[in-house]
Amino acid sequence: MSRLFQHLPSVDSILTALTQDSGMAKLPRPLLRDLVNEFLDIKREEIRAGAVSSPEELAFERLLPVVQASVRVKARPHFRRIVNATGVVIHTNMGRSLLAPEAVNAVHDACSRYSNLEFDLTSGERGSRYSHVEKLLCSITGAEAALVVNNNAAAVMLMLDTLAKGREVIVSRGQLVEIGGSFRIPDVMAKSGAVLREVGTTNRTHLSDYEQAIGDKTAALMRVHTSNFRVVGFTGEVDLTDMRKLADRFGLPVIDDLGSGTLFPLAIAGMPPEPTVQEVVRQGADVVSFSGDKALGGPQAGIIVGREEWISRIKVNPMTRALRIDKMTLAALEATLRLYLDMDSVCRKVPTLRMITAGYRQLRSRATNLRKAILTAVGDWVNVSVRRGISRVGGGAFPECDLETALVAVVPKGFSVSEFRHRLLEADTPVVGRVEEDAFCLDLRTLASDEFRLVVAAMTQACSRLAS
Ligand SMILES: *Cc1c(COP(=O)(O)O)cnc(C)c1O
């Protein structure tokens, strides 16, 4: 056995061979050395365990391709691109919204060059980072003032901390939502120092429920978008306009956590009616918050719009500084918001809106092309068909809305769908789809045509590994 150890190639000989490969030569040398050592350690372990029987198995030429493959996989960055073929447009686990090219370019400029982030070019003095988007947000939503922070969870926290610390906020029991990622309205409320005053029932809440709960300690009335669930049947919630009238009688503000929040009236594209931020502002919500990376289609951010008197208080809350957004986000947000200045083209230009509104016929014709490409590459290994299916908006927006879509259904021959799915996750660019009726399905709604080659590459990798 000790004789076998001597046949293992040296670290340096492997390193020299690896760096002949231009891709690997770019990797940090110490990283390569660590990975090669790791590989050799495993080989030594195999020798000790008696899993290697002859010196030939340790020959340099035999080991090199194996080391190459192992190093290539282990040297990949941890945070990587994937192909989202799930059909869930705003997929929180996959980065939610994709940015429009305009926003991507703005991010590039903002982080590779100096900027007027907090520098007023008129006075030549210090400026405000919020100034870059405040006017835009006001002109798009009709609000008096606006502010942006890290995300909508932060925005909700800030609104409550500023307007209601130590006092009561009245919320309908039908809106005490948990949106996942441990964001639950009662918990957020508790953390902000506001006291939750629940009213009504799970399925029905009346204006009189709010009215009876108003007292000395009341700071605000609050609405929370029931993002990811629906109460159906015998239900009722109070209209914002009625809530506004009630709040006025007692001099209270109305806070509205819209969750996803849309600036574009998606109903005209055939989606279920959903109040836009503009409508909510017009109906009299005092402070409204929503996400930047859900249906808006921008970067992760929490946007707060509303009445000047409240927004100005939020701006000077010390927590705002701790939750502020960075320059890259700001650049992406301004560029995305500018696309909303032309409502005729915004649906084409913002990828999230484009994917949500994509029509079946177009998806179907792209599915046919993908099917052909897959058949050409791995037709011996799989059966491929085009099916009708349903995709989801995701991100807690339009939870019950079925979007008709086209799926490419792939059924491997001679091995399981779950094995296939697993192998696709191990590809250089992992492909994530969904398993439906014993087939691996790729939803064309979230799959771009320029990603077909990545799907084909992943499937080729998956099938050749299964073949070996
Ligand atoms: C998504 C959502 C949030 C949290 O927004 P993030 O931007 O993810 O922090 C808060 N409230 C509601 C109702 C939501 O749907």
Side-chain angles (χ1 to χ4, degrees), residues 416-423 435:
S416 73
V417 171
S418 77
E419 174 71 6
F420 190 55
R421 172 177 172 268
H422 194 74
R423 294 287 163 128
V435 175

Side-chain angles (χ1 to χ4, degrees), residues 96 151-153 156 179 183 224-225 227 257 259-260 291 293-294 301:
R96 286 199 182 155
N151 57 12
N152 188 36
V156 173
I179 56 140
F183 184 97
V224 182
H225 195 283
S227 298
D257 170 12
S260 179
S291 293
D293 56 354
K294 290 184 180 172

Side-chain angles (χ1 to χ4, degrees), residues 135-418:
K135 252 205 193 131
L136 258 177
L137 280 167
C138 292
S139 82
I140 295 167
T141 64
E144 290 173 7
L147 174 73
V148 282
V149 289
N150 181 58
N151 57 12
N152 188 36
V156 173
M157 213 44 162
L158 263 179
M159 296 192 295
L160 291 170
D161 184 83
T162 312
L163 272 61
K165 202 182 186 76
R167 294 194 295 145
E168 287 182 359
V169 176
I170 305 175
V171 186
S172 161
R173 288 198 169 89
Q175 299 174 1
L176 295 176
V177 54
E178 167 177 324
I179 56 140
S182 71
F183 184 97
R184 308 170 102 190
I185 286 296
D187 300 347
V188 172
M189 193 81 80
K191 259 284 173 253
S192 73
V195 180
L196 171 63
R197 180 74 191 264
E198 318 175 14
V199 295
T201 61
T202 308
N203 58 324
R204 282 173 79 84
T205 299
H206 304 278
L207 193 63
S208 57
D209 294 324
Y210 288 92
E211 185 166 1
Q212 281 158 23
I214 295 176
D216 296 344
K217 301 195 200 82
T218 309
L221 309 185
M222 185 179 189
R223 288 206 315 171
V224 182
H225 195 283
T226 56
S227 298
N228 47 12
F229 75 102
R230 281 283 170 273
V231 183
V232 295
F234 185 53
T235 65
E237 288 285 0
V238 175
D239 271 354
L240 181 56
T241 40
D242 293 334
M243 219 173 191
R244 169 77 271 154
K245 282 186 207 141
L246 178 66
D248 280 341
R249 275 175 47 208
F250 293 90
L252 295 169
V254 175
I255 301 173
D256 201 342
D257 170 12
L258 272 184
S260 179
T262 60
L263 296 176
F264 180 82
L266 278 163
I268 64 174
M271 302 289 292
E274 175 80 24
T276 58
V277 178
Q278 294 87 314
E279 279 159 1
V280 170
V281 167
R282 205 181 316 124
Q283 287 169 10
D286 293 275
V287 268
V288 181
S289 78
F290 52 100
S291 293
D293 56 354
K294 290 184 180 172
L296 193 149
Q300 178 189 306
I303 300 169
I304 309 176
V305 300
R307 302 257 306 278
E308 168 73 35
E309 88 178 275
W310 305 111
I311 301 284
S312 60
R313 285 169 56 183
I314 298 173
K315 281 179 183 163
V316 297
N317 185 330
M319 249 170 83
T320 301
R321 170 64 179 80
L323 301 170
R324 80 179 182 189
I325 66 167
D326 79 301
K327 61 185 177 184
M328 293 184 271
T329 308
L330 208 42
L333 186 60
E334 185 187 12
T336 307
L337 289 172
R338 284 167 68 98
L339 299 175
Y340 280 88
L341 295 176
D342 182 358
M343 288 289 182
D344 292 333
S345 62
V346 70
C347 250
R348 264 181 289 122
K349 291 189 170 169
V350 171
T352 298
L353 295 180
R354 186 170 62 227
M355 286 189 259
I356 292 174
T357 57
Y360 176 72
R361 282 180 50 158
Q362 181 220 337
L363 296 172
R364 169 132 197 140
S365 97
R366 291 177 48 234
T368 311
N369 294 338
L370 177 59
R371 175 177 176 268
K372 277 186 211 137
I374 294 174
L375 275 180
T376 307
V378 291
D380 289 346
W381 290 99
V382 296
N383 289 317
V384 194
S385 59
V386 173
R387 291 185 186 170
R388 217 173 253 263
I390 298 294
S391 24
R392 292 269 181 233
V393 174
F398 304 96
E400 288 297 297
C401 177
D402 291 345
L403 302 172
E404 190 177 37
T405 195
L407 305 172
V408 170
V410 185
V411 181
K413 301 176 194 167
F415 47 88
S416 73
V417 171
S418 77

Side-chain angles (χ1 to χ4, degrees), residues 99-115:
L99 296 180
E102 290 83 348
V104 173
N105 291 336
V107 173
H108 181 270
D109 290 350
C111 57
S112 53
R113 299 294 181 181
Y114 289 111
S115 61

